[in-house]
Amino acid sequence: MRGQSKNISLPRRLIIDLMHASMGVPFVSLSRSLNIRPLLEARAAAQAPAGWAAMFVKAFALVARDEPVLRTVYAKWPWPTFYELPDSVASVAIARRENGEECVMPQRIACPEAMTLAAVDSEIRRAKTAPVADVPMFRKIMRVTRLPLPLRRLFWAVGLNFGRQRGNWFGSFAVSSVAAYGGGELHPITPGPFIVSYGLVEGDQTIHVVIRWDHRVTDAAPIARVLTRLEQALNTEIAAELRAAGAKPIRAVGI
């Protein structure tokens, strides 16, 4: 059967490089349904509620503020070691359409635990619609993706294997979800060390969350506790910030 050869676009080349970098990470995963009734009530009453990605980014970063292991990466150079980042750096998977092609690009958000929820949400929304040239992380990653393969592999190796560079390139955790497109239990992979995915809100006011992590960094028991703390952060700190941001105006009803 005679087919047709097609060039690999830059966005697909980026995903190919990302998958290559993720192949050697010994990932394991843990999933759980979180009860988020207080968060849902606060979000329903908010005048301009933040998106789900922003809420999970800030909630995970708040948990990581008190759990150093969630800011720890495995670095190979100059010798294998664990490197603890001083602050969380999120990498959010942004679904876009470039030149008629569906693609995903990573948006870097540094220190989300110190940002307002509205600011985190604004960074994510801007990354979805702004031109690639106007988003610093997109410009940075596209410059590398345009390089020949040997140079790309070198840049990725430096960004992955020196602990200090991990925060600059790949962050301490990632957030990815297909909930906006109908849901499903997504098990994405990244170069690590942590990636959070969430599904649709269920009728019993729960949401299914999956955490995948580099097993070299930590074990299942701490991650189980992290899921419990993540549920608490969503229902307390994040819900409180939504309530403080302002409620929807009450519409007068004539009699």
Side-chain angles (χ1 to χ4, degrees), residues 59-210:
F60 192 88
L62 287 170
V63 176
R65 183 179 58 190
D66 302 321
E67 297 285 350
V69 70
L70 299 181
R71 293 180 274 107
T72 300
V73 301
Y74 177 80
K76 294 180 181 179
W77 295 347
W79 49 79
T81 186
F82 292 129
Y83 188 89
E84 182 184 314
L85 295 168
D87 302 294
S88 290
V89 182
S91 178
V92 185
I94 304 294
R96 295 175 56 102
R97 192 172 185 86
E98 291 295 321
N99 300 318
E101 179 185 18
E102 300 283 350
C103 64
V104 175
M105 302 182 74
Q107 168 66 319
R108 178 181 180 273
I109 302 177
C111 303
E113 68 275 17
M115 298 169 63
T116 65
L117 188 58
V120 176
D121 189 58
S122 177
E123 287 289 308
I124 294 172
R125 292 182 186 276
R126 180 171 176 269
K128 290 180 179 179
T129 57
V132 170
D134 292 346
V135 182
M137 183 59 187
F138 293 174
R139 288 200 310 269
K140 183 178 181 179
I141 199 73
M142 283 295 102
R143 281 200 301 266
V144 173
T145 306
R146 289 186 177 93
L147 296 173
L149 181 61
L151 287 177
R152 297 205 313 274
R153 290 288 186 262
L154 175 61
F155 271 92
W156 279 75
V158 170
L160 284 169
N161 294 309
F162 283 107
R164 187 174 180 180
Q165 294 300 324
R166 286 296 294 261
N168 295 330
W169 284 94
F170 300 101
S172 56
F173 74 98
V175 172
S176 180
S177 174
V178 292
Y181 303 95
E185 189 172 296
L186 180 66
H187 290 261
I189 61 173
T190 72
F194 301 94
I195 182 164
V196 180
S197 181
Y198 56 90
L200 294 170
V201 176
E202 302 293 339
D204 60 355
Q205 298 183 314
T206 64
I207 189 168
H208 197 73
V209 176
V210 178

Side-chain angles (χ1 to χ4, degrees), residues 11-30:
R12 295 319 307 170
R13 184 188 290 182
L14 169 61
I15 296 300
I16 292 169
D17 290 345
L18 179 65
M19 293 299 97
H20 180 272
S22 305
M23 287 172 57
V25 181
F27 272 116
V28 290
S29 63
L30 181 64

